[in-house]
Amino acid sequence: MPDKTAMVKCLVWDLDNTLWQGTLLEDDEIRLPESVRELIRVLDSRGVLQSVASKNDHDHAWAKLEELGIAEYFVLPHISWSPKSGSIRRIAEELNFAHGAVAFVDDQAAERAEVAFHLPDVRCYSADQVAELAGLPEFSPETVTEDARCRREMYQAGFRRQAAKSGFTGPDEKFIRSLDLVMRIEHATVEHLARVEELTLRTSQMNATGVHYSQETLVRLLDDPRHHVLVTSLSDRFGPHGAVGVILLELGTDVWHLKLLATSCRVVSFGAGAVILRWLVDQAARAGAHLVADFRRTDRNRMMEIAYRFSGFGGETCPCLERLPVSDVGGLERLHLVPTPQDPPATMDLIAPDLGSSPEIRFSDVLSPSPVA
């Protein structure tokens, strides 16, 4: 049985007499109720993706969606004469969503039954329930982050990016350079905290400690002048990647304590973690401080250990380590680095604060990549 308490990540619409009123291939007039138009906008603003599974002529149906001004809201539409369960299965696979995160709405009981039989975890709703969907808990996240509000644009940008990569001939680094990547590192605000907490909780492969920081803890760190809570976002010529990294850093006079670095696995191939670490090393070198990074091995974060080691962090002893408080996190290691100045990244533009400036000012440095040979 579908889990009614889990959030819906994607709502798949039937078209005829469900999304719009009328049957496209039979009726002269097709009407989109304003209540449906508003529901589409509301779900989109909450970060719920929307798609289509309809038995119709694709070109005719898509032209009607464009005419109605709502085609942009639908990702990976499947409009054909195939069974709708197969269309929904392919949508879920392409989005990499579990079936329990997908919902389907259709006016025909037989179509809902066909989907429920083949995909029992997909939640099915009748067209009569459309008016109440926005009020249901499975469509109403407690917190809507900025990334959630941009989720559709990020997925659509990802599809365009993947299509460009599939057609690109040449080394990966050349493709990465062609993306015109821009990384922005900024001090977190209260508006960032839900996404920052999510990164500490859900990121596993590129999480240095696996320690979860609650929003309450993050708020306390924001109020502590010794701590910097930094959030990293990434964009390119195709669109935004959203918030992809978090840095928790405590600044001392001669030692900087990197308590957590976590980055989304989505940006590993772009070298995001290495760029962040090089920036931190350069900032510490400017300040004349040693860097100490907390690291705790898990069964999934081997890549993060490699990133630290590749950046020069090691297990050597230093008197500065004795000035750090003893951690109560089991299995925690402290990796040490005497930093040296670093060159700007060669594959992206980096916009980041100067951590050596006054916390009240926090001016930004703009670091541009080296010219492409």
Side-chain angles (χ1 to χ4, degrees):
M1 293 292 293
D3 180 1
K4 291 291 187 179
T5 64
M7 294 300 303
V8 169
K9 294 183 177 181
C10 180
L11 174 63
V12 181
W13 290 84
D14 169 53
L15 296 178
D16 290 337
N17 297 307
T18 301
L19 185 135
W20 56 51
Q21 292 183 353
T23 301
L24 187 61
L25 298 180
E26 298 177 4
D27 297 331
D28 294 332
E29 182 180 359
I30 297 295
R31 191 174 73 85
L32 177 69
E34 281 304 310
S35 59
V36 173
R37 186 187 297 274
E38 180 60 20
L39 173 62
I40 292 169
R41 290 173 177 164
V42 167
L43 294 180
D44 186 70
S45 71
R46 294 177 182 177
V48 178
L49 298 179
Q50 295 169 86
S51 188
V52 172
S54 172
K55 290 181 178 178
N56 255 305
D57 175 76
H58 179 278
D59 293 345
H60 192 183
W62 190 250
K64 179 59 66 175
L65 289 168
E66 292 181 322
E67 177 188 322
L68 294 170
I70 56 173
E72 64 181 300
Y73 289 99
F74 300 103
V75 300
L76 302 174
H78 282 250
I79 303 171
S80 67
W81 301 105
S82 301
K84 293 182 181 179
S85 61
S87 296
I88 295 170
R89 179 182 286 108
R90 288 190 291 275
I91 291 168
E93 288 174 351
E94 291 180 70
L95 291 173
N96 197 27
F97 286 174
H99 293 170
V102 178
F104 173 58
V105 57
D106 196 299
D107 66 305
Q108 295 291 322
E111 297 287 5
R112 299 195 301 274
E114 189 269 335
V115 170
F117 178 80
H118 291 286
L119 306 172
D121 289 336
V122 170
R123 281 167 278 191
C124 296
Y125 303 86
S126 72
D128 294 337
Q129 295 176 278
V130 165
E132 64 187 70
L133 292 184
L136 296 178
E138 59 265 36
F139 292 95
S140 306
E142 291 184 10
T143 302
V144 179
T145 65
E146 182 60 32
D147 275 14
R149 286 188 284 269
C150 299
R151 184 162 290 139
R152 170 175 53 85
E153 290 93 331
M154 289 194 290
Y155 270 86
Q156 290 170 331
F159 299 144
R160 295 191 295 271
R161 191 178 300 114
Q162 186 58 45
K165 184 176 182 180
S166 298
F168 187 86
T169 56
D172 288 345
E173 184 174 348
K174 188 174 181 180
F175 175 73
I176 292 172
R177 288 172 183 259
S178 77
L179 292 175
D180 299 330
L181 286 159
V182 177
M183 176 181 285
R184 183 181 297 272
I185 301 173
E186 57 189 320
H187 290 91
T189 65
V190 173
E191 288 73 24
H192 289 120
L193 292 189
R195 176 57 177 156
V196 171
E197 181 187 14
E198 184 179 48
L199 282 166
T200 72
L201 183 63
R202 297 181 60 184
T203 303
S204 57
Q205 290 182 324
M206 293 300 289
N207 188 319
T209 66
V211 175
H212 169 229
Y213 286 80
S214 68
Q215 288 197 45
E216 293 76 13
T217 300
L218 292 168
V219 167
R220 289 198 298 271
L221 293 178
L222 286 181
D223 290 336
D224 184 347
R226 299 171 303 167
H227 282 86
H228 290 261
V229 182
L230 300 149
V231 61
T232 301
S233 58
L234 199 66
S235 63
D236 61 31
R237 62 187 173 93
F238 292 105
H241 295 260
V244 297
V246 58
I247 305 162
L248 302 182
L249 185 68
E250 183 177 8
L251 270 59
T253 303
D254 57 359
V255 58
W256 288 11
H257 185 190
L258 179 55
K259 295 183 175 180
L260 176 69
L261 173 61
T263 64
S264 170
C265 297
R266 293 185 285 112
V267 294
V268 169
S269 61
F270 303 130
V275 171
I276 294 170
L277 282 171
R278 287 173 65 89
W279 169 75
L280 279 171
V281 171
D282 186 67
Q283 289 284 302
R286 294 189 194 188
H290 288 195
L291 262 176
V292 176
D294 286 352
F295 179 75
R296 182 170 67 96
R297 287 184 175 84
T298 70
D299 57 355
R300 301 200 61 187
N301 69 350
R302 173 64 176 162
M303 285 194 298
M304 180 58 81
E305 181 178 15
I306 292 172
Y308 272 147
R309 300 292 186 181
F310 189 77
S311 297
F313 286 87
E316 70 273 8
T317 60
C318 178
C320 72
L321 293 168
E322 298 175 2
R323 293 194 287 277
L324 300 180
V326 176
S327 173
D328 58 0
V329 177
L332 192 75
E333 301 176 51
R334 282 183 167 154
L335 306 179
H336 179 264
L337 173 67
V338 179
T340 57
Q342 303 291 305
D343 292 330
T347 56
M348 64 182 70
D349 287 347
L350 174 62
I351 303 172
D354 180 358
L355 298 182
S357 67
S358 168
E360 290 76 23
I361 300 174
R362 289 178 173 171
F363 292 118
S364 293
D365 273 343
V366 179
L367 305 178
S368 298
S370 304
V372 177

